Amino acid sequence: MASKEAVVFILDANLTMNASYPPLHHDGTGDAEDTARGEPSTRLSQAKDAVLSSIIDLMWRSKTHETGVVVLKTGVTHHHLSAIERIVDDFDVGKFFRRCGGGVKLDRYDDSSDVFPNLVEFELNRPSPCTLRAINNVQCTINDSIALTTQGDLCDGLILAADSLHRRTNGKKYKRT
């Protein structure tokens, strides 16, 4: 049995993930508040909590486990297959998502040379507190006018995640998930 695990999570940051969760009833009532943060609970906040909980669980089980996260529909491209580096590290990724908060949305940039555009990858490594904070800062960064035409869907994310796992673990003793 392998002593190390390598896991890549895929997190959707599409505009539809801003919907409240659980959904409100027809009469406007319902319990869609995240009690830990005191703010409305959304699909995205629930997904981030699930990913963070899984990563923390992996960290507690062994310090050698490695995790990565691919964020879909971000409005910016940052991953190992992209030729243009717009973001340097996980700290910059977190700063990017914080800057886009508070209702500020990005318009799509036009760069047809990107491979798998609008995907942000947190590198497959041992998770650090900086990485956890950056994942916690992930939010929707596209607006209504470009939501339907923005590339970076689940298929692109799966290909990117599989390639990341293959590059990191090929020929090594890892349990890949």
Side-chain angles (χ1 to χ4, degrees), residues 5 8 11 13-14 24 28-29 51 60 63 85 92 105 121-122 126 130 138 142 148 153 162 171:
E5 271 189 61
V8 177
L11 188 60
N14 197 2
L24 297 175
T29 63
V51 168
W60 277 104
K63 65 179 183 178
E85 284 294 324
D92 281 348
K105 305 297 180 198
E121 176 186 30
F122 293 91
R126 290 189 313 195
C130 181
V138 169
I142 58 175
L148 295 176
D153 62 359

Side-chain angles (χ1 to χ4, degrees), residues 123-144:
E123 296 290 331
L124 183 58
N125 282 316
R126 290 189 313 195
S128 68
C130 181
T131 303
L132 296 176
R133 282 190 293 274
I135 293 169
N136 195 40
N137 288 326
V138 169
Q139 55 189 305
C140 180
T141 60
I142 58 175
N143 61 31
D144 293 335

Side-chain angles (χ1 to χ4, degrees), residues 24-150:
L24 297 175
H25 303 291
H26 293 291
D27 59 359
T29 63
D31 186 24
E33 184 172 307
D34 188 350
T35 56
R37 293 187 187 98
E39 59 189 33
S41 178
T42 63
R43 293 176 181 174
L44 183 58
S45 67
Q46 295 294 317
K48 288 189 303 187
D49 289 345
V51 168
L52 288 170
S53 295
S54 298
I55 291 173
I56 291 168
D57 181 54
L58 285 168
M59 288 172 64
W60 277 104
R61 286 192 283 150
S62 174
K63 65 179 183 178
T64 61
H65 292 329
E66 297 182 359
T67 61
V69 178
V70 174
V71 185
L72 310 176
K73 303 270 187 170
T74 58
V76 71
T77 304
H78 171 70
H79 53 76
H80 68 276
L81 295 176
S82 177
I84 302 170
E85 284 294 324
R86 292 175 177 81
I87 299 173
V88 179
D89 57 11
D90 289 347
F91 179 76
D92 281 348
V93 172
K95 191 166 65 174
F96 164 75
F97 284 112
R98 280 192 309 274
R99 187 177 65 233
C100 294
V104 176
K105 305 297 180 198
L106 293 179
D107 289 323
R108 181 175 38 167
Y109 57 89
D110 186 22
D111 189 356
S112 58
S113 66
D114 276 339
V115 177
F116 303 124
N118 302 312
L119 298 178
V120 170
E121 176 186 30
F122 293 91
E123 296 290 331
L124 183 58
N125 282 316
R126 290 189 313 195
S128 68
C130 181
T131 303
L132 296 176
R133 282 190 293 274
I135 293 169
N136 195 40
N137 288 326
V138 169
Q139 55 189 305
C140 180
T141 60
I142 58 175
N143 61 31
D144 293 335
S145 65
I146 63 170
L148 295 176
T149 59
T150 302

